[in-house]
Amino acid sequence: MKDNEIREKILDLVKQYYWNKFIKKPFDPNVSIVHYAGRVFDEKEMVNLVDSSLDFWLTAGHHAESFENEFANFLGTEDSILVNSGSSANLIAMSTLTSAKLLDRQLKPGDEVITTACGFPTTIAPIVQNRLIPVFVDVDLGTYNAIPEQVEKAISPKTKAIFLAHTLGNPFDLDVVMGLARKHNLWVIEDNCDALGSKYNGHLTGTIGDIGTISFYPAHHMTMGEGGSVVTNNEDLSRIARSFRDWGRDCFCASGEDNTCGLRFTQQFGELPTGYDHKFVYSHIGYNLKVTDMQAAVGREQLKKLPLFIEKRKANFKLLHKGLMPFSDKLILPLPTPKSDPSWFGFLLSVKDNQSFSRNELIQFLNNNRIHTRNLFAGNLLRQPAFINIEHKVVDNLINTDKIMDNTFFIGVYPGIGEKEIKYIIQMFHMFFQLN
Amino acid sequence: MPAPRKIKAMVMDLKRYQDDVTWYRLKPEIPIHCRPGQFLHLALDGYDPSFNWPESRIFSIASSPFRKDRLDILVSPKGNFTKRMISEMLPGKEVWLKLPYGIFNFNDTINKNVILIAGGTGISPFVSYLETLLDCGPNYNKLFLYYGVRDQGLIIYEKLIFECENKLSNFHYNIFVENGDNIDGIKIKKGSLKIKSIIESTKSLENPIYFLSGPKNMIINFNQIIKESSISETKVIFDSWE
C-alpha cells in the first residue's frame, strides 16, 4: 500500500472508533451526570488529531498557522497568537505591555494595574509575576463584574493598565472602561477566556481593548485540550506578544524555518556584533508557550462548530433563567450587563442574605443528584494562600467579593447539556426548595 | 501584523522584459490579508507539512492588498533559484507561498509629503502602495515617485504611473533611464537616480517621509548620503534584504 492509502485507512478506522466509543447515551435522570462543562466533539476532531499526528511535525506547524488565521477571521482581528493555555495568554498579554519597545507606554515594576479579586488566579498572577501592583476593585452581585465607579476611583498617577475578565461570559462595562482608558492613556486587557462569542454593543468581546485573551481548555467554549490565544489589532503588540511566546526572540521564523525576514545576518542588536544570527537575538525575557500542531488541528474543527456552541449556550441559559425565576427571592439570578449579548460560560447563582440554607447545602444536594457545580473559581483571591502576602491595593473594600466567596456557585450551560438535562436541573431546584 | 500562512498559488499571467526580468500574476488559493509594502516567500517545489519548508526566495508583493484575487511579483533573475523561476513558472504552474511578512509599511504617511525612491525591481512595494491609493484614495499631502532603471526596456509600470498621474492628486514622478528616450505618455529623464539632487529638490517640503527600495548597493550608498544630510533618520524608511 502507498503511504496515502495507509493514511486513509487509519483515518477511516478512527471514524469507526469514534462511533463505537464516544457516541452519547440518552439522558437518564437516574444515572446520568449533568456536568458543569465538557468537551463536545465528533469524529472530525479525532480524524484531524490523528491526521496531524501522522505528519509527525509535533511542534506548532501548518495547523497552528491556519488556526491563527481562521480564529482571527472569526473575531475580525488583525492577529491571533496561539498559545498553550488561556493562562499563558494572560501571561503573554501582561508581559507584552512590559516591553521596552513600547517606549513611554512600557509598564515598569511598581506600576499599577486595575483588576478584580473575584475570579481565576491567572488573571492576577501575571500582574504579580511582572512586579506590577494589582489594584483591586469590588464587583456587582448579579453581573459579577467590576463596579465602573470603583474602576474610576482606582486610577492614580501610577495606573498604566486595566486588566479585567468578562466574568463567566458576561461582559464588563466596556463603555466606561474604554472611556477611562482613553482619558488616562491606559492599556486595556480583556480577559475573554470565559467569554468567547460574547458581544458588547454589537462587537465581540476580546476585540475591543488593546489585547484580548481566550482559553481553549476543555471546559471552555471550544477546546483543543490545552490552548489559548492572544488577540490584538495592534501590530506592535502582536510582534511583541509573539516574541514573548517564542523564547523572547526577535526573529519571527516559524519552527524549522530560516531567514524569513531576509535580514538574518545584517542587523545589529544590543551589544551584539553586526550580523549576529537574528535567529538567536533575544529582545525580551520570554517563554516557550507554543502549542503542538495536534492541538491546533483539533481546534480547527472545533472552530467550525463554535457558532453553534455559542447559540446553544445562550439557549440553555435562557431556559435555566426562566426555570429558576421562581426562586429569585432566595437566589440572585445572573444579570447580563446592559448593551451586552453574553455567550455564557456558566449559570451563576448567589444565595441571598439571611436564607435558611447555605450555598454549600444547596450544591451538596445538587451534587448528590449528579448535577455538578463549581464555585466562582477562587472566590476572593486575596484570601487564597498564594495571594495573602502579595503587594496590592484595594479600593474601599471587597464586600461583594467576599459574599461571592461565601454564597456563589454556577451550573453548566455548555452545549453537551440538552433540554432534558435542563428540565432535570430545574426539577432538582424545586425539590431542594420544597425540602428547605 | 496579520498572521503569516502557507498557501498554494497558481501562475496566471506573466510578462517578460529586458534581461528576462519578469512580472508575474499569481492567483492565491485563498484571499490573503496583508499590507502594502509586505513581502512573501515563494517556493517552486511542493510543500509537505510533514517536512521543512522548501527552498524559497523573498519577493515584495507588487499589487494592492484590496485586489484579493491576485498577488503580483517582479523577478530579476540573478542566481540559480530565480533562473529556475524564469524557466519553470509558466501559466498554470503551481507554487507555494508563505506570507505576509515585513514591517516596511506606509502606515505613517497620513498628511505627509511622501517621497518614494525606487531602483529597478525595488519599485515592487511602491506598486502595492500606489495601487492601494488608487483603490482607497490618497492619504498623503504630496506624493513624489523617483524611479530609476538601467535601460528603457526595464520600465515595468508605465501604465500604472500614467494612471496615478491622472487619478491621484498631487502625484509627481521622475523616471530616470540610464540608456533610453521617451515612452508614449510618460516623461523620462536620461541619467541615474541621484540622491543628492532628490534631497535638494525635496528639502523645502514640510513633514517629509522618504521610502527607499532597491538593490543593496543603492540602499547603502543612499543611506550614507542621507546620514550626511540634514534629514532625520526617523524620516527615512528602507526596504532592504540581504
Side-chain angles (χ1 to χ4, degrees):
Chain A
M1 268 199 285
K2 290 179 181 170
D3 59 351
N4 59 338
E5 290 168 346
I6 298 169
R7 194 165 179 141
E8 272 179 34
K9 197 170 179 184
I10 291 168
L11 298 180
D12 280 342
L13 285 169
V14 170
K15 285 179 201 168
Q16 285 177 40
Y17 180 79
Y18 168 82
W19 287 106
N20 283 357
K21 171 92 178 173
F22 289 106
I23 201 71
K24 196 184 170 190
K25 292 177 185 137
F27 178 71
D28 178 347
N30 296 312
V31 293
S32 298
I33 297 170
V34 184
H35 296 279
Y36 83 97
R39 67 226 154 116
V40 178
F41 64 102
D42 61 26
E43 77 280 10
K44 294 189 182 77
E45 279 84 347
M46 292 190 73
V47 165
N48 253 24
L49 174 66
V50 175
D51 190 38
S52 64
S53 75
L54 294 173
D55 284 340
F56 211 63
W57 185 253
L58 303 181
T59 182
H62 76 110
H63 282 295
E65 286 173 7
S66 296
F67 181 86
E68 286 186 335
N69 277 280
E70 288 156 8
F71 193 60
N73 285 343
F74 173 83
L75 292 175
T77 54
E78 281 284 305
D79 200 5
S80 87
I81 299 129
L82 187 55
V83 294
N84 62 2
S85 73
S87 298
S88 296
N90 282 347
L91 177 59
I92 293 288
M94 193 74 260
S95 302
T96 292
L97 300 184
T98 67
S99 170
K101 288 181 187 281
L102 297 175
L103 306 174
D104 60 331
R105 294 205 66 195
Q106 172 193 14
L107 268 66
K108 292 179 179 162
D111 285 342
E112 293 176 3
V113 180
I114 298 168
T115 189
T116 67
C118 155
F120 204 72
T122 51
T123 311
I124 310 307
I127 303 173
V128 178
Q129 286 156 338
N130 278 294
R131 294 184 289 158
L132 303 162
I133 312 295
V135 179
F136 294 104
V137 299
D138 208 3
V139 298
D140 274 321
L141 291 174
T143 69
Y144 304 94
N145 280 316
I147 298 168
E149 296 75 22
Q150 291 233 333
V151 176
E152 182 160 22
K153 206 171 172 184
I155 295 171
S156 81
K158 285 192 147 190
T159 309
K160 293 288 167 59
I162 301 171
F163 189 172
L164 294 170
H166 299 297
T167 307
L168 256 56
N170 197 14
F172 57 79
D173 189 331
L174 277 151
D175 279 352
V176 168
V177 168
M178 295 309 295
L180 289 171
R182 275 191 290 273
K183 185 176 171 187
H184 298 278
N185 201 26
L186 310 176
W187 297 107
V188 174
I189 303 174
E190 291 176 77
D191 180 340
N192 200 51
C193 286
D194 300 339
L196 181 55
S198 291
K199 288 185 176 174
Y200 184 86
N201 231 353
H203 299 284
L204 284 165
T205 56
T207 69
I208 298 165
D210 298 287
I211 309 180
T213 60
I214 293 103
S215 172
F216 304 128
Y217 195 67
H220 288 250
H221 291 65
M222 55 167 277
T223 188
M224 56 179 73
E226 302 290 350
S229 182
V230 179
V231 297
T232 181
N233 288 312
N234 181 315
E235 210 164 315
D236 294 330
L237 296 181
S238 160
R239 252 197 114 178
I240 296 165
R242 285 182 184 278
S243 170
F244 270 104
R245 182 193 64 179
D246 302 344
W247 305 283
R249 66 181 182 170
D250 201 75
C251 168
F252 52 82
C253 282
S255 299
E257 295 176 14
D258 294 330
N259 204 17
T260 304
C261 63
L263 297 167
R264 186 173 170 191
F265 297 109
T266 55
Q267 302 178 87
Q268 198 278 322
F269 296 91
E271 295 179 0
L272 293 165
T274 300
Y276 192 82
D277 189 347
H278 189 222
K279 210 169 174 61
F280 295 100
V281 172
Y282 299 93
S283 309
H284 301 104
I285 310 294
Y287 309 90
N288 178 3
L289 301 175
K290 296 192 295 297
V291 294
T292 69
D293 223 33
M294 285 90 74
Q295 290 161 270
V298 173
R300 290 183 72 191
E301 274 307 319
Q302 285 273 293
L303 185 55
K304 292 175 189 166
K305 298 180 173 74
L306 181 60
L308 282 175
F309 288 167
I310 292 167
E311 289 314 309
K312 184 68 177 160
R313 283 176 178 272
K314 289 180 185 175
N316 281 345
F317 179 91
K318 211 171 165 182
L319 291 172
L320 276 175
H321 199 273
K322 192 179 170 192
L324 298 180
M325 188 55 92
F327 312 117
S328 59
D329 57 331
K330 300 177 180 67
L331 300 170
I332 299 171
L333 298 185
L335 187 68
T337 299
K339 295 189 184 179
S340 77
D341 178 16
S343 168
W344 298 96
F345 182 92
F347 194 95
L348 271 164
L349 291 160
S350 295
V351 177
K352 287 190 168 176
D353 292 340
N354 306 316
Q355 297 301 308
S356 59
F357 63 96
S358 71
R359 184 258 317 264
N360 283 2
E361 285 167 347
L362 174 53
I363 63 176
Q364 273 171 24
F365 174 84
L366 294 171
N367 200 45
N368 290 342
N369 287 285
R370 298 170 310 285
I371 297 169
H372 286 185
T373 66
R374 289 289 184 272
N375 285 357
L376 184 43
F377 307 129
N380 181 347
L381 271 159
L382 286 172
R383 310 274 187 206
Q384 293 278 352
F387 290 82
I388 286 171
N389 293 317
I390 62 165
E391 193 179 349
H392 71 277
K393 289 182 180 175
V394 171
V395 176
D396 295 338
N397 57 58
L398 303 178
I399 288 174
N400 288 346
T401 304
D402 277 334
K403 282 188 177 179
I404 287 164
M405 177 177 65
D406 294 330
N407 301 327
T408 301
F409 69 101
F410 70 92
I411 51 178
V413 295
Y414 83 106
I417 293 179
E419 287 189 20
K420 284 182 184 164
E421 287 94 325
I422 298 277
K423 275 184 191 163
Y424 176 71
I425 294 170
I426 295 165
Q427 190 189 332
M428 287 301 110
F429 272 87
H430 276 280
M431 191 181 284
F432 177 80
F433 288 117
Q434 279 165 8
L435 296 170
N436 291 275
Chain B
M1 184 172 70
R5 62 190 316 168
K6 298 178 178 77
I7 59 160
K8 278 189 273 193
M10 186 174 282
V11 178
M12 300 303 290
D13 198 3
L14 63 89
K15 196 172 174 187
R16 299 248 190 255
Y17 292 84
Q18 188 181 314
D19 301 335
D20 273 347
V21 170
T22 306
W23 166 89
Y24 287 104
R25 173 154 295 164
L26 310 173
K27 183 178 170 56
E29 63 178 340
I30 51 166
I32 289 297
H33 179 40
C34 62
R35 297 183 191 287
Q38 290 196 293
F39 65 84
L40 56 77
H41 274 256
L42 184 144
L44 289 168
D45 301 317
Y47 165 59
D48 179 343
S50 302
F51 299 98
N52 284 346
W53 176 251
E55 184 183 16
S56 63
R57 291 291 181 275
I58 290 173
F59 299 94
S60 281
I61 299 167
S63 51
S64 163
F66 294 92
R67 304 179 190 189
K68 296 281 186 192
D69 61 335
R70 70 190 65 168
L71 287 163
D72 295 351
I73 56 168
L74 265 185
V75 180
S76 176
K78 295 225 165 66
N80 289 338
F81 189 89
T82 42
K83 283 175 185 161
R84 256 189 82 195
M85 287 177 72
I86 300 304
S87 65
E88 293 178 25
M89 280 181 59
L90 300 171
K93 161 81 176 171
E94 194 175 85
V95 294
W96 275 89
L97 307 176
K98 56 176 184 174
L99 74 164
Y101 295 105
I103 53 171
F104 182 78
N105 62 55
F106 302 91
N107 295 346
D108 197 24
T109 55
I110 297 170
N111 298 327
K112 290 189 174 168
N113 289 306
V114 179
I115 300 112
L116 311 175
I117 304 168
T121 57
I123 195 163
S124 298
F126 300 151
V127 171
S128 180
Y129 176 56
L130 292 172
E131 283 193 358
T132 303
L133 293 174
L134 289 169
D135 291 341
C136 304
N139 62 358
Y140 52 82
N141 185 19
K142 286 181 182 173
L143 176 61
F144 299 85
L145 171 67
Y146 293 89
Y147 175 27
V149 293
R150 197 176 61 250
D151 294 305
Q152 191 174 314
L154 292 169
I155 299 175
I156 315 285
Y157 286 102
E158 67 272 16
K159 280 185 186 165
L160 174 69
I161 294 167
F162 187 64
E163 190 181 358
C164 289
E165 189 182 31
N166 285 313
K167 293 183 180 170
L168 295 179
S169 57
N170 290 322
F171 172 75
H172 310 275
Y173 70 87
N174 287 280
I175 300 176
F176 296 89
V177 180
E178 290 177 34
N179 312 301
D181 297 310
N182 281 326
I183 296 175
D184 287 346
I186 293 281
K187 298 161 285 189
I188 60 170
K189 295 176 181 174
K190 201 166 172 95
S192 58
L193 278 176
K194 291 189 174 58
I195 190 68
K196 278 184 183 168
S197 64
I198 294 171
I199 293 170
E200 188 61 29
S201 58
T202 56
K203 69 179 183 187
S204 61
L205 292 170
E206 277 183 25
N207 218 1
I209 182 158
Y210 293 81
F211 293 88
L212 272 75
S213 173
K216 192 176 175 184
N217 287 342
M218 179 194 114
I219 297 290
I220 293 169
N221 178 28
F222 283 18
N223 191 18
Q224 187 58 38
I225 294 169
I226 285 169
K227 275 184 181 165
E228 290 162 4
S229 76
S230 57
I231 300 170
S232 160
E233 280 185 44
T234 60
K235 295 185 182 302
V236 185
I237 298 167
F238 298 96
D239 192 20
S240 59
W241 299 327
E242 286 166 357

